Amino acid sequence: MSIVTCKVSSIEKLNDFLYRIFLAPQQAVSYKAGQYVSVVMGEKDKRHFSIANAPSSEVIELHIGATPENSYAMQVIEKMQSDGQVEVEIANGEAYLREQSVRPMIIVAGGTGFAYAKSIIEQVVALKLTNPVHLYWGVKEQDHFYLEEQAKQWDETYQNIHFHPVVELADEQWQGAQGYVHQAVLKDFSDLSAFDVYVVGRFEMAKVVREDFVKQNGNVEHIYGDAFSFI
């Protein structure tokens, strides 16, 4: 895998813990919707983040959740801020959008996994795919929906795209689905055999999602998630 130098075009803090970064590769690159970059921090230190935009763009968008307690991500932010550029491997991962598939899709995203979902949905829109797409975005608290308006806009604009927000620790005012995000999928679809499923989130989350979806007729060959390579 070749390493590409990227200029840091902008770093925007979206809330107390999340940064939106745009990188400008200094040479032509290609990748598939749903793949990730590995930021090179050292010879054997590469840190992985989902690409948050479709491949048609000339920039690479990242959503990085980072706090002082999370050194894995915070050190990357600090390096970008101080150096103004980073070296990355682009086009990593096998959980990319299967563009030729005509099966309906379920995307299960936890937290900043919305970046992964955003890349896939932008590509669905760009290619004018008509497959039904169900985006289940789960967060711990309602105010963690950092780009909720974008997700709502897809739902309102495109007949085949449906947004299902899920809050784990919901307050009394929340009217939507509550609990773990994948449980909302299981409640809505009793038979998952027809779906392509894309999963992004913590390793332990991905493991449980796959196990529970298979119990509900999900086809393991059509459940995609890069976390599965590590568990």
Side-chain angles (χ1 to χ4, degrees):
M1 182 69 65
S2 60
I3 294 176
V4 177
T5 300
C6 294
K7 178 183 177 183
V8 180
S9 297
S10 66
I11 300 178
E12 174 189 6
K13 196 169 186 181
L14 295 182
N15 58 31
D16 290 342
F17 63 89
L18 192 131
Y19 296 80
R20 186 182 199 178
I21 296 107
F22 287 94
L23 303 178
Q26 299 303 285
Q27 64 189 70
V29 299
S30 64
Y31 61 92
K32 297 176 181 178
Q35 291 190 308
Y36 62 88
V37 301
S38 299
V39 177
V40 180
M41 298 293 287
E43 185 177 346
K44 296 184 179 180
D45 184 1
K46 297 175 183 177
R47 306 189 187 184
H48 314 305
F49 303 97
S50 293
I51 300 173
N53 56 299
S56 56
S57 176
E58 294 183 357
V59 298
I60 300 293
E61 179 182 349
L62 305 177
H63 302 166
I64 299 181
T67 61
E69 299 79 30
N70 179 4
S71 60
Y72 179 93
M74 198 69 225
Q75 288 169 2
V76 173
I77 297 295
E78 292 169 348
K79 180 176 178 62
M80 290 179 176
Q81 291 172 328
S82 63
D83 295 356
Q85 65 179 32
V86 288
E87 292 186 329
V88 302
E89 290 180 351
I90 295 177
N92 290 330
E94 298 300 320
Y96 51 81
L97 173 64
R98 269 53 181 182
E99 296 177 358
Q100 303 306 315
S101 175
V102 297
R103 295 160 62 90
M105 308 176 208
I106 293 174
I107 305 173
V108 184
T112 56
F114 177 77
Y116 170 83
K118 180 174 176 291
S119 176
I120 288 178
I121 292 176
E122 285 186 355
Q123 186 71 345
V124 167
V125 170
L127 297 177
K128 298 181 180 179
L129 301 183
T130 58
N131 314 50
V133 179
H134 295 272
L135 167 60
Y136 284 80
W137 183 13
V139 296
K140 192 167 287 291
E141 299 174 15
Q142 185 178 351
D143 60 2
H144 291 179
F145 286 124
Y146 59 91
L147 286 179
E148 185 178 16
E149 291 307 313
Q150 173 67 81
K152 288 180 177 178
Q153 185 178 346
W154 290 325
D155 187 288
E156 294 166 1
T157 305
Y158 303 101
Q159 270 193 328
N160 62 317
I161 299 176
H162 311 281
F163 174 44
H164 308 267
V166 184
V167 179
E168 183 179 341
L169 304 176
D171 59 27
E172 294 179 357
Q173 281 70 46
W174 176 248
Q175 299 298 310
Q178 301 181 29
Y180 294 127
V181 62
H182 83 290
Q183 291 177 341
V185 179
L186 295 171
K187 182 178 179 181
D188 291 346
F189 297 100
S190 59
D191 185 349
L192 296 169
S193 60
F195 290 91
D196 285 339
V197 179
Y198 298 89
V199 182
V200 62
R202 299 175 65 89
F203 294 159
E204 57 269 28
M205 167 202 163
K207 182 176 184 292
V208 171
V209 169
R210 182 168 62 179
E211 290 174 351
D212 286 355
F213 280 19
V214 168
K215 292 175 185 175
Q216 212 141 298
N217 298 325
N219 185 333
V220 70
E221 293 184 0
H222 291 281
I223 301 177
Y224 309 106
D226 285 316
F228 301 144
S229 300
F230 302 93
I231 58 177

